[in-house]
């Protein structure tokens, strides 16, 4: 099911990251760099092993997972700001 966006208004808001959010993002980026190195080493090892081949789409699957992860992380980081804005808008209407 999908929500209708008929008569909806959107506003782009830049979210200021807290220090904790910055640390979380940096740690996630470091983790994914390590994972990339592991995948590339595994791929190289499979290419050198007789009778084995790495899956054809191995790295595209890795990058797809990488993209989905960071998209979800960025959405999650925005939640506190969105909650704050919603509360302020509700209070302004009362």
């Amino acid at each position: 099911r999908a929500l209708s966006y008929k008569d909806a208004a959107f506003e782009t808001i830049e979210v200021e990251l807290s220090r904790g959010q910055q640390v979380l993002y940096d740690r996630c980026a470091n983790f994914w760099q390590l994972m990339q190195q592991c995948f590339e080493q595994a791929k190289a090892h499979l290419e050198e092993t007789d009778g084995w081949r790495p899956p054809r789409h191995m790295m595209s699957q890795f990058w797809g997972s990488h993209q989905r992860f960071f998209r979800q992380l960025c959405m999650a980081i925005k939640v506190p700001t969105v909650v704050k804005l919603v509360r302020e808008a509700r209070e302004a209407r009362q």
Side-chain angles (χ1 to χ4, degrees):
R1 296 176 104 190
L3 296 174
S4 171
Y5 290 103
K6 183 180 178 190
D7 300 325
F10 297 90
E11 182 180 352
T12 302
I13 297 171
E14 198 168 306
V15 175
E16 186 82 24
L17 299 182
S18 70
R19 181 68 188 133
Q21 291 169 328
Q22 291 173 11
V23 169
L24 174 64
Y25 188 92
D26 290 345
R27 287 182 179 172
C28 289
N30 289 336
F31 169 78
W32 278 94
Q33 283 181 323
L34 178 62
M35 288 301 297
Q36 179 187 0
Q37 292 169 1
C38 291
F39 267 71
E40 289 174 352
Q41 287 176 358
K43 184 179 177 208
H45 183 69
L46 286 173
E47 289 169 345
E48 295 170 357
T49 303
D50 289 336
W52 286 89
R53 286 187 326 193
R56 285 181 37 202
H57 302 292
M58 179 178 169
M59 293 311 292
S60 64
Q61 290 175 344
F62 171 83
W63 288 114
S65 297
H66 175 274
Q67 230 175 1
R68 284 188 299 278
F69 175 85
F70 278 98
R71 182 179 61 231
Q72 292 297 317
L73 178 62
C74 289
M75 293 293 285
I77 285 174
K78 295 175 185 179
V79 170
T81 301
V82 171
V83 169
K84 179 182 171 233
L85 292 171
V86 168
R87 286 183 175 152
E88 289 172 357
R90 288 181 67 194
E91 288 174 9
R93 289 185 184 168
Q94 291 179 359

